[in-house]
């Protein structure tokens, strides 16, 4: 019999962390796991993908920037209904909530996954340290981030591991015809192409990328940079 798991996420939008969560949830479902996804904020994306995979999606209906203690008991209710073996939390707010809820409901395993080197300030690192005893394991998608969390005391060395993002390599198999057609459509000719995909937000540091690419173009004229994304800094980056 396969285990059951609830994935708890701060939000569900089109972002890297959310994409990883949905990929993991759908793959486990295909393997026979009993899977449920819970979003603290009302979901904005991936509803159709989860429904198509037969994965229930619930929300705690929290509002961004508005702490709501009732969310703890909403989550307890969901846990009592599903009785999961594992509660796997993603991103800082979900990680902390998943730990706190363990005070009110017995869960066999609680895993916290961070997707960044810095999740928003020193107080959050202190909160991680103070609640670490309520988590069985913390993971991070970056080895440098793991080293930093240990260095600042957010997580003990024996409680955190490096777990890189999974990639479905089958989706990225080379299709030479599609490649050539797209290059023609974009007028790239024989250019060496760099591609950056991500949100237009401060954390992605696009100005640093643009400055670095300027150094490239100063030395050679056969390189092209493509940038794809959305966000509050779109006009500034443009």
């Amino acid at each position: 019999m396969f285990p059951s798991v609830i994935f708890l996420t701060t939000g569900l939008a089109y972002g890297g962390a959310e994409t990883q969560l949905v990929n993991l949830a759908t793959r486990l479902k295909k393997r026979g796991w009993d899977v449920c996804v819970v979003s603290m904020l009302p979901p904005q994306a991936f509803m159709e993908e989860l429904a198509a995979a037969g994965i229930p999606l619930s929300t705690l209906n929290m509002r961004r920037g508005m702490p709501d203690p009732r969310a703890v008991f909403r989550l307890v209710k969901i846990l009592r209904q599903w009785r999961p073996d594992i509660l796997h939390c993603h991103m800082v707010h979900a990680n902390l909530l998943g730990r706190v809820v363990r005070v009110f409901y017995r869960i066999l395993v609680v895993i916290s996954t961070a997707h960044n080197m810095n999740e928003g300030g020193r107080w959050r690192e202190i909160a991680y340290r103070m609640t670490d005893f309520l988590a069985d394991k913390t993971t991070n998608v970056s080895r440098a981030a793991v080293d930093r969390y240990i260095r600042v005391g957010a997580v003990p060395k024996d409680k955190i591991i490096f777990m890189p993002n999974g990639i479905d390599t089958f989706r990225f198999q080379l299709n030479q015809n599609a490649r050539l057609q797209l290059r023609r459509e974009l007028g790239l000719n024989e250019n060496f192409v760099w591609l950056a995909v991500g949100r237009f937000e401060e954390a992605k540091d696009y100005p640093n990328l643009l400055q670095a690419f300027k150094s490239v173009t100063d030395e050679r004229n056969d390189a092209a940079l493509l940038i794809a994304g959305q966000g509050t800094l779109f006009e500034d980056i443009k």
Side-chain angles (χ1 to χ4, degrees):
M1 183 175 179
F2 287 94
S4 59
V5 56
I6 286 182
F7 289 100
L8 176 65
T9 175
T10 300
L12 202 58
Y14 287 119
E18 296 91 333
T19 299
Q20 286 293 316
L21 182 151
V22 171
N23 286 343
L24 181 56
T26 53
R27 295 309 189 279
L28 288 177
K29 180 68 176 180
K30 287 182 178 179
R31 293 187 181 186
W33 285 51
D34 191 12
V35 180
C36 175
V37 174
V38 178
S39 175
M40 294 171 64
L41 300 172
Q44 300 176 339
F46 295 112
M47 290 86 79
E48 294 182 359
E49 289 87 341
L50 291 173
I55 299 175
L57 171 62
S58 300
T59 177
L60 304 183
N61 283 317
M62 298 182 69
R63 296 173 59 187
R64 190 174 297 278
M66 297 288 290
D68 186 353
R70 294 175 298 177
V72 175
F73 302 102
R74 292 172 187 154
L75 181 56
V76 168
K77 183 178 180 179
I78 294 172
L79 292 170
R80 284 175 176 165
Q81 290 173 343
W82 275 84
R83 301 176 64 186
D85 301 303
I86 302 167
L87 177 62
H88 189 178
C89 311
H90 289 257
M91 296 182 284
V92 60
H93 296 93
N95 288 338
L96 295 175
L97 176 59
R99 296 175 179 192
V100 170
V101 80
R102 206 172 198 180
V103 176
F104 302 92
Y105 182 83
R106 182 178 177 272
I107 311 169
L108 292 178
V109 177
V110 174
I111 302 172
S112 301
T113 293
H115 292 261
N116 210 325
M117 182 175 290
N118 186 336
E119 291 188 288
R122 183 59 181 161
W123 76 266
R124 293 183 180 179
E125 295 167 353
I126 294 173
Y128 267 148
R129 182 170 61 196
M130 293 179 63
T131 60
D132 178 74
F133 72 99
L134 294 169
D136 294 284
K137 188 69 69 174
T138 296
T139 73
N140 203 309
V141 300
S142 162
R143 190 176 299 279
V146 168
D147 294 340
R148 182 182 182 279
Y149 276 53
I150 296 171
R151 186 172 66 253
V152 301
V155 186
K157 184 176 182 180
D158 62 342
K159 291 283 292 291
I160 188 170
I161 60 174
F162 165 53
M163 183 62 64
N165 286 332
I167 301 296
D168 181 1
T169 55
F170 182 80
R171 293 184 59 195
F172 299 98
Q173 289 184 334
L174 178 62
N175 183 320
Q176 190 67 16
N177 291 333
R179 174 179 182 271
L180 293 175
Q181 179 180 343
L182 183 59
R183 290 181 69 93
R184 285 194 298 267
E185 291 175 356
L186 296 177
L188 294 172
N189 301 316
E190 297 301 318
N191 294 87
F192 186 95
V193 180
W194 301 82
L195 172 63
V197 181
R199 294 175 295 115
F200 291 133
E201 303 294 346
E202 184 177 355
K204 301 303 183 183
D205 200 9
Y206 277 107
N208 194 29
L209 170 66
L210 296 175
Q211 187 61 41
F213 193 72
K214 181 179 183 301
S215 299
V216 174
T217 57
D218 285 343
E219 296 189 13
R220 53 192 302 172
N221 59 7
D222 62 344
L225 172 63
L226 305 181
I227 303 177
Q230 297 176 340
T232 59
L233 299 179
F234 176 79
E235 291 300 327
D236 293 337
I237 301 299
K238 187 176 176 180

